Each structure stands twice: as structure tokens, then as C-alpha cells.
Amino acid sequence: MMYLFSESGTKLLESLCFTETLFAFDFDGTLSKIVREPGAATISNLTKDLISQLGERRHVAIISGRGLEDLRGKLGPTSAFLVGNHGLEGISTDMSRNNGFKSACDEWKTQLKKYLSNDLGGIEIEDKHYSMAIHYRKSRQKRTTRTHVLEILDKLNPSPRIILGKDVINLVPSGAPHKGVALLEIMLKTGAKTAFYIGDDDTDEDVFTLPDQRIFTVRVGKKNSSQAKFFIRNQTEINLLLKTLISYLDPTERKQANL
Amino acid sequence: MKCAFESSLKTLISIGLAFQQINKIFESDCGLSIVQWSLLKALIEMPTISPQALAKTLGVSPSTLTQTLARLSKRKLIFVCDDPRDARRKIISITRSGKEKLEEAHNLFENMFGRLYEISTALETLNNFLLSSKKQKRKSNALQIVTPKDAKWNWPQA
């Protein structure tokens, strides 16, 4: 992995701005900070403004694990393409297909209530209609809780695709489109020649592992096992990234920013 | 008796000579050869591409590309670095100077070649000949004539 704000990283980043690039972002941990209460996550006004400025220059997409309505509520009015539920909601939503995913979620919910009824200490189940998330951020023994939850998830029928996140376990219907599929669909829709994608979580590996040279991948936080090519050190560098992109796309901004 | 194909061959030779002369003028006037121009043009549309993929897109062998890449890199019109995922591989991208040079060349190129659309049918015929000819099949992979209407770079399939 290479630091994005290294000499090579910034040169490559600048070259992306010379063509029709789609700029795509994960939400939690990328545009917003990770907080103890997942529902309390917010995007700062500055980040929101920078996203809007970037959106005036190029196509922007926000691809999140949150439900689409939840994501809309967090962002407010925006010109960006919004994709929720890890790629299940927002782009070419196939209702009959999604109804199948919803009934799988309903079944998991019933089964989880039964299995987890006695020990919900620090565990929160988030029903996102087409996928589910089991948060254990508040648990005192995170590792034990995670192992326990994973054992229970092994019993679920139909068996879900499990994606581990930061103190969260995501349950996605098997065969459902993921973030990588959503990104490719938006590229097709917008006619983008290349795409830039940044995310912080294991669900973002679905984009990082795409065998497609057109996609420039960045991870929030260095992790050697990640398939992303570049990294930024932490979430606080997101505004610097957005400002840099805007300056590259607009030479007058570049002079003002003295980059 | 003069055969019809003789005239066509003469025209083809003339085109080849004219191309060489135009390339010289183009290089002295804007500092870019036509091959360099086409490489920069491809890089604008395919930033962060590998040399192998670029060679495939341009229809040349990677070794042929090396010299052109070295020249452009020396002039800081392109940038070559290691692929962060695979140190054995390289990534090429165009620099801002490269982009500006390309824009500068664009007007000159337009004045020089703007009327080339008139001979696009002839180029298409030649291209078809190269593609269909069994003897020339191998060569046709190396030489692909890009007619103006097709002059758009696309990412090669992975």
C-alpha cells in the first residue's frame, strides 16, 4: 500500500482529474467519523460542502452499508448518487429481487431473536430491510461477543454472506450485488472512464478486489491485508483529500490553495 | 498498360512519406511526435494504466513503447511509478505538463489534420485489407490504422 499524499500518490491522483472520473466514497468511517452509537454518525458541514463542490465538477457517488433512507437523512439534499445496503439499494433497484432479500432478512431476524434472546448485552441488531448489521461496539468483551455471534450466525437459514466490519458483523443475502457491482453500474450509467473509491471497512474490499485497472482504490487507515492500492492515515484526512481533488479540477482553486 | 493497383500503391507510398514529413513538422512545431501525441492522448483517458495494458491499447509491443515512455518521462510529460500492489509492475500517468502540452498540440493538430476525414474511407479500406490478409495477419496486430471516427481509446479487457 502506498500513502496517497506521497509524491507518487498525488501525481496519480491529479491525473485522475484530467478525465471523466467518478469519485465514490463510503460513508461511515470515511466521510463521517466512527461513533459509539451508529445512528449518531454525522457528516461535518465542511465535508458536506466539499462533496457538493466536487459534485459540481465530476460525478460523485456515496456507497454505504446503511439503508438508503438512513443515508439520505444523513446527507440531506445532494446531487451525488446514493447507494445503500452495500449496493442493494439505489441503483437499478429490482423490487422482486429485493423482496426476496427482505424475506431472508425477516427470517434471520426471527431466528436471531430466538438465539440471542438471553444475551443481548452490548449487542444491537440493526434491521436495514435488505441486509442486517449486528453491532457489538458497546460490548465489554468484544472478541468473545464476536465469536459467540459468529457461532450463532452459522446456524442461520438461509445462510447469509457475512462481512466483518469495525465492531459490526454485516449479514447480506447470498448472491446479492455488492459495493463493487454498484460502483461499476454507476460508472456505466455516468459514462465514467475511471473511478476513484475510498472506504475504511471490510465491505469495501468488494471494490478493492475488483480486477479492473480503471478503479483507483484508497483505504482509510493502512492495513497490509487490504487489496486497496493507496491509503490515507485516518478519517481526518478526508477533507484534505476533497480539497486536493477540487484544486486539481479547478486550477484557480489550486493557486489559492497554494498546492 | 498501367494497372489500377499501381496507382493505389503509389498513393500508399506517398501517404507514408507524407506521414514522415508531417511527423517531423509536428515534432519541431509542438515538440511531440504523432506517436507521442497518441500515447499522451491515451493516457488522458486511461490514467494509472500499466505499460502492458497501454501497449495493448495502442497496438504496439511493450518493448516498442519503452523508448517513447522514457523520452516522455525525461521531459516530465508522463510519470512512471511502481504499482503499490505489485512492485514488479509499473503504473504510468500523465502529468499536468503533459496535459498542457497535449492541449497546446491540439490546435496545431487540428489545423494540420482537420481535413483528414476526407481520406478516412481510404484508411478504412487499408485497415480491412490488413485485417483480412492472411499473410499480413501478424503484422496487422502491430499496425492498426485508427480512422478519425474511431480515434477514441478504450481500456483493454482484463
Side-chain angles (χ1 to χ4, degrees):
Chain A
M1 275 184 124
M2 187 190 284
Y3 182 47
L4 183 64
F5 294 114
S6 62
E7 194 192 348
S8 300
T10 47
K11 279 184 180 170
L12 295 173
L13 188 64
E14 185 175 27
S15 72
L16 287 182
C17 298
F18 302 151
T19 190
E20 284 303 315
T21 299
L22 166 73
F23 290 96
F25 303 82
D26 171 38
F27 184 78
D28 291 88
T30 303
L31 291 179
S32 80
K33 282 182 182 164
I34 295 280
V35 289
R36 200 169 151 80
E37 289 281 348
T42 52
I43 177 170
S44 75
N45 286 337
L46 176 59
T47 308
K48 207 186 277 187
D49 182 48
L50 291 169
I51 283 285
S52 148
Q53 283 184 48
L54 184 63
E56 286 165 15
R57 291 159 174 84
R58 289 289 185 276
H59 290 295
V60 170
I62 297 165
I63 306 173
S64 171
R66 288 181 179 270
L68 191 57
E69 282 313 306
D70 184 14
L71 186 64
R72 275 205 188 107
K74 296 280 176 200
L75 288 156
T78 175
S79 60
F81 286 90
L82 298 185
V83 177
N85 259 308
H86 311 285
L88 273 163
E89 276 185 297
I91 297 292
S92 61
T93 305
D94 177 347
M95 284 318 289
S96 60
R97 180 196 66 181
N98 280 10
N99 285 340
F101 298 149
K102 193 177 181 309
S103 48
C105 280
D106 289 340
E107 285 188 42
W108 297 336
K109 204 172 159 184
T110 315
Q111 293 168 49
L112 283 171
K113 269 183 188 169
K114 192 174 100 186
Y115 295 131
L116 288 169
S117 57
N118 296 324
D119 46 6
L120 279 173
I123 298 175
E124 278 175 33
I125 298 172
E126 187 187 356
D127 180 4
K128 295 186 279 188
H129 304 297
Y130 306 114
S131 75
M132 293 184 89
I134 302 174
H135 301 271
Y136 56 92
R137 197 162 293 147
K138 290 180 190 167
S139 169
R140 286 183 184 172
Q141 291 173 301
K142 288 181 185 173
R143 195 170 286 183
T144 316
T145 308
R146 189 178 68 170
T147 311
H148 177 59
V149 173
L150 286 173
E151 278 168 8
I152 288 168
L153 295 184
D154 202 32
K155 297 176 195 167
L156 294 184
N157 185 27
S159 55
R161 179 180 174 218
I162 294 168
I163 312 165
L164 301 177
K166 288 176 180 163
D167 300 337
V168 64
I169 300 170
N170 297 288
L171 276 66
V172 182
S174 298
H178 54 65
K179 286 184 173 185
V181 175
L183 183 76
L184 292 172
E185 279 193 44
I186 303 171
M187 283 179 77
L188 198 64
K189 199 167 184 169
T190 57
K193 291 187 165 68
T194 55
F196 168 96
Y197 183 83
I198 180 165
D200 73 309
D201 213 345
D202 285 2
T203 58
D204 300 305
E205 292 296 327
D206 284 333
V207 180
F208 301 156
T209 51
L210 285 175
D212 194 326
Q213 284 195 51
R214 296 175 305 162
I215 301 165
F216 188 95
T217 52
V218 184
R219 189 178 191 278
V220 180
K222 191 179 179 186
K223 188 179 177 186
N224 289 332
S225 60
S226 171
Q227 288 299 301
K229 285 190 172 181
F230 298 86
F231 71 94
I232 58 171
R233 291 196 179 109
N234 49 48
Q235 195 274 332
T236 56
E237 286 189 330
I238 197 73
N239 288 345
L240 172 65
L241 168 65
L242 291 166
K243 281 179 191 169
T244 306
L245 288 174
I246 293 163
S247 73
Y248 287 156
L249 289 163
D250 187 344
T252 55
E253 292 277 342
R254 190 163 170 248
K255 280 172 194 159
Q256 281 168 17
N258 223 358
L259 285 162
Chain B
M1 193 185 153
K2 199 178 179 183
C3 298
F5 75 85
E6 279 182 30
S7 163
S8 301
L9 277 179
K10 275 184 181 172
T11 309
L12 192 58
I13 292 164
S14 302
I15 289 172
L17 291 171
F19 182 82
Q20 283 176 20
Q21 283 176 339
I22 288 166
N23 202 25
K24 271 186 188 168
I25 296 167
F26 195 59
E27 204 164 359
S28 68
D29 284 6
C30 78
L32 282 180
S33 70
I34 293 168
V35 173
Q36 288 172 338
W37 171 86
S38 64
L39 192 148
L40 291 181
K41 188 87 181 136
L43 280 181
I44 277 280
E45 301 198 12
M46 292 172 288
T48 74
I49 194 171
S50 68
Q52 292 80 4
L54 183 63
K56 202 173 171 185
T57 303
L58 295 173
V60 296
S61 68
S63 54
T64 310
L65 200 66
T66 310
Q67 212 176 15
T68 312
L69 289 177
R71 280 185 187 157
L72 292 173
S73 180
K74 200 175 172 186
R75 291 168 62 192
K76 297 190 186 316
L77 299 179
I78 63 163
F79 174 72
V80 184
C81 71
D82 289 336
D83 186 322
R85 248 193 236 167
D86 186 349
R88 293 166 301 176
R89 295 178 67 180
K90 299 277 179 198
I91 294 180
I92 317 164
S93 70
I94 187 167
T95 61
R96 189 166 286 272
S97 309
K99 183 187 170 259
E100 284 165 0
K101 176 60 84 182
L102 198 59
E103 283 166 357
E104 193 187 308
H106 182 82
N107 294 334
L108 187 72
F109 207 82
E110 200 168 34
N111 287 337
M112 256 186 194
F113 303 117
R115 282 178 293 166
L116 272 184
Y117 277 98
E118 292 165 15
I119 64 159
S120 63
T121 320
L123 288 173
E124 226 166 272
T125 310
L126 290 173
N127 206 17
N128 289 338
F129 165 75
L130 288 171
L131 290 170
S132 62
S133 166
K134 279 183 184 173
K135 284 180 185 172
Q136 295 288 334
K137 204 172 181 182
R138 280 170 64 193
K139 284 183 184 172
S140 71
N141 288 332
L143 174 67
Q144 269 202 2
I145 299 169
V146 181
T147 57
K149 65 176 181 182
D150 301 326
K152 203 174 176 185
W153 308 118
N154 288 311
W155 287 86
Q157 296 296 311

